[in-house]
Amino acid sequence: ARLVAGDSLDRLLTLNDAVKIVGLEIDPAGLAYHGFTVVGDRVEVTNCVLHGGTGDVLAVSGNYARIVGNVVYPRVYGIRITAGKGHRIADNIVDGSMYSSTRPLIHVSDAELVDISHNRLHGGQSDGIFVQRTPRVSIKDNLIENVGDVSVIIYGVDETYRTYDSEIAGNIIKNPGNNGISVAYLTGGAIKNNIVRGASNHGITTGSCAGLLIEGNVLMDNGLRGMSIVDTIECLIRNNIARDNGDWGIAESGASDYNMIEYNDVRGNATGAIHLVGANSRARRNIGYPTENRGVATIPAGSTRVTVNHGLVKAPRIVLLTPAGNARVWYENVTDTSFDIVTDTAPSTDLQVAWYAEV
């Protein structure tokens, strides 16, 4: 069936409990405010072709909605969830380029337990997936290309509406007009195994977050930072590739602290590899940001010291020395580039000293 709007319509269909819509095409022709308005529970909209009017293509305020396998062409919002729990938005194509849509392609607010997966989102002037005041949301395995603003946002708004226990995983993001992934006021979530290329600004950015796992992401060729960590604490950031970005590979700012940054590849970024501001944050064992090194130095016969160029990003906090034989040695004059190994008695033959240094 095909429904076309008239001038006086506010919406084409209002769906109540347990209604199933399959294979319908609707075209408000730019006139109706909403296409579907879902106010009931357990509504299914599958395999439909949905053109947008001046409002939402599909507005959901019930529980356990299943929006699967549709093709959506929004003018304003695409698929919009405004309440409820247990929703699934999967396997849809949402194309904002046909009518140059002005609001997010998928927008979720004031809900919980929402699954957004395996969708293909393209174009439009605004965000790809925008989630606010919604805990326990899963955004997985979506392809998001050429959106006008941020590709994926989870936004808790402020401390009053801080959200938690959400996951952004396995998404492929290309050429957003702003950041690839942005999260704010999120506690206890994960950002894993995403690919972000060609973002105008940052690949991933966090604001006022805590206790996140940020792991296994590929962040390359983005206009500013590969990963921007702002006012964020107690996160584990590991096994990411943040390379060839226009600013830092991974950088803290603001009140960020107590973050562990390890086993990342941060080579080839324009400003630098890693930038820390937190007194208790640590970076270790990253490729392109040497924080550990070891070697063997030689104090020449007749001398009592040798200078070692340690090759670390800054002065080491830890220096361990192991001399050959029974010589007594210690270190002095530690700087951002070197330290001295000193012995109390000049050896009659060259004295080798194994060393280990760590920032």
Side-chain angles (χ1 to χ4, degrees):
R2 186 171 189 270
L3 296 179
V4 180
D7 291 345
S8 62
L9 288 181
D10 177 64
R11 65 207 60 173
L12 284 174
L13 288 172
T14 298
L15 306 180
N16 293 303
D17 287 354
V19 172
K20 181 180 292 186
I21 302 294
V22 181
L24 178 67
E25 180 180 355
I26 67 167
D27 189 355
L31 300 175
Y33 182 70
H34 296 307
F36 289 143
T37 298
V38 177
V39 296
D41 295 343
R42 295 178 175 84
V43 169
E44 295 186 19
V45 180
T46 60
N47 301 323
C48 294
V49 178
L50 311 174
H51 292 260
T54 58
D56 310 330
V57 175
L58 181 61
V60 178
S61 59
N63 297 297
Y64 305 107
R66 185 172 179 266
I67 315 299
V68 178
N70 304 285
V71 179
V72 181
Y73 300 106
R75 285 178 168 87
V76 187
Y77 287 101
I79 299 169
R80 191 178 186 195
I81 307 291
T82 59
K85 63 182 178 181
H87 303 298
R88 183 167 186 246
I89 305 170
D91 298 303
N92 302 285
I93 297 173
V94 187
D95 187 351
S97 63
M98 177 176 286
Y99 302 120
S100 191
S101 60
T102 59
R103 302 305 296 268
L105 302 178
I106 296 175
H107 185 279
V108 178
S109 63
D110 302 298
E112 64 175 320
L113 289 171
V114 180
D115 170 23
I116 304 170
S117 59
H118 300 282
N119 300 284
R120 181 168 182 173
L121 312 180
H122 175 79
Q125 301 177 47
S126 186
D127 307 307
I129 299 170
F130 186 101
V131 177
Q132 66 177 356
R133 298 189 299 268
T134 300
R136 293 181 287 175
V137 61
S138 175
I139 302 172
K140 295 181 69 174
D141 301 322
N142 300 283
L143 174 61
I144 308 170
E145 300 177 288
N146 302 312
V147 297
D149 205 333
V150 180
S151 293
V152 178
I153 301 178
I154 293 181
Y155 184 47
V157 182
D158 56 30
E159 288 293 346
T160 303
Y161 295 102
R162 177 174 287 276
T163 190
Y164 54 90
D165 297 346
S166 293
E167 181 181 34
I168 302 171
N171 301 285
I172 298 175
I173 295 169
K174 298 180 181 179
N175 305 319
N178 195 332
N179 302 315
I181 296 170
S182 296
V183 295
Y185 296 99
L186 173 64
T187 297
I191 304 173
K192 298 173 60 178
N193 302 326
N194 302 282
I195 299 173
V196 182
R197 283 184 178 269
S200 294
N201 292 329
H202 308 304
I204 293 174
T205 182
T206 71
S208 301
C209 295
L212 303 183
L213 172 62
I214 305 177
E215 180 179 39
N217 301 285
V218 177
L219 313 170
M220 298 184 70
D221 302 317
N222 299 296
L224 296 177
R225 297 174 178 178
M227 192 183 302
S228 180
I229 309 299
V230 183
D231 298 329
T232 293
I233 62 171
E234 299 170 354
C235 295
L236 178 56
I237 301 168
R238 67 184 184 191
N239 295 327
N240 300 284
I241 298 173
R243 294 188 58 181
D244 303 323
N245 298 290
D247 196 284
W248 292 97
I250 300 172
E252 291 184 326
S253 60
S256 296
D257 204 359
Y258 291 97
N259 297 303
M260 176 60 74
I261 302 171
E262 62 181 7
Y263 300 106
N264 302 284
D265 184 346
V266 286
R267 293 173 291 175
N269 297 289
T271 302
I274 294 174
H275 178 65
L276 300 180
V277 298
N280 302 287
S281 291
R282 294 287 180 265
R284 64 179 187 178
R285 296 176 176 84
N286 298 283
I287 300 172
Y289 188 77
T291 52
E292 307 84 22
N293 204 358
R294 66 181 69 237
V296 177
T298 300
I299 299 177
S303 178
T304 58
R305 71 176 55 233
V306 62
T307 298
V308 176
N309 294 316
H310 52 66
L312 304 178
V313 294
K314 60 182 179 180
R317 297 179 300 114
I318 299 170
V319 178
L320 303 177
L321 304 176
T322 305
N326 296 318
R328 179 174 177 266
V329 295
W330 64 93
Y331 62 90
E332 296 177 348
N333 303 326
V334 180
T335 71
D336 286 344
T337 58
S338 65
F339 59 85
D340 292 343
I341 299 176
V342 183
T343 185
D344 52 357
T345 303
S348 57
T349 59
D350 291 351
L351 174 62
Q352 291 189 327
V353 182
W355 61 270
Y356 171 81
E358 180 179 317
V359 170

